[in-house]
Amino acid sequence: GPYLHNGSVPNLDELLKKPNQRIRQFRKGSLEFDPTKVGYEDAGPFLFDTSVPGNSNRGHDYGPEFTPEERRVLVEYMKSL
């Protein structure tokens, strides 16, 4: 992470959500890895705002709406690859 062409999705858990359910703002700049959600920690000096032109994270719909448990299991599977 971060994911997508513009770094607008901070981790795999967020990436697997429907685009309209993804986080709108998160902090960037930390190099601390979040092994649970597979991305960097939501920390650092820079606030990434997806409402700013060019920062959208509304693209790339990856299928059905997963429950939080389904996302957790899918992320765990992807970590094993």
Side-chain angles (χ1 to χ4, degrees), residues 38-50:
V38 187
Y40 289 113
E41 293 285 339
D42 185 356
F46 180 71
L47 180 65
F48 192 93
D49 184 347
T50 64

Side-chain angles (χ1 to χ4, degrees), residues 59-80:
H60 306 283
D61 188 342
Y62 293 104
E65 186 171 335
F66 298 112
T67 66
E69 178 63 13
E70 288 170 331
R71 281 196 319 274
R72 185 192 67 75
V73 169
L74 187 52
V75 168
E76 287 301 315
Y77 171 73
M78 290 191 300
K79 287 177 0 182
S80 74

Side-chain angles (χ1 to χ4, degrees), residues 19-34:
N20 65 347
Q21 296 174 345
R22 292 182 183 144
I23 194 169
R24 304 276 193 261
Q25 294 182 332
F26 60 95
R27 300 208 75 73
K28 289 177 84 171
S30 171
L31 296 180
E32 293 296 318
F33 181 68
D34 178 350

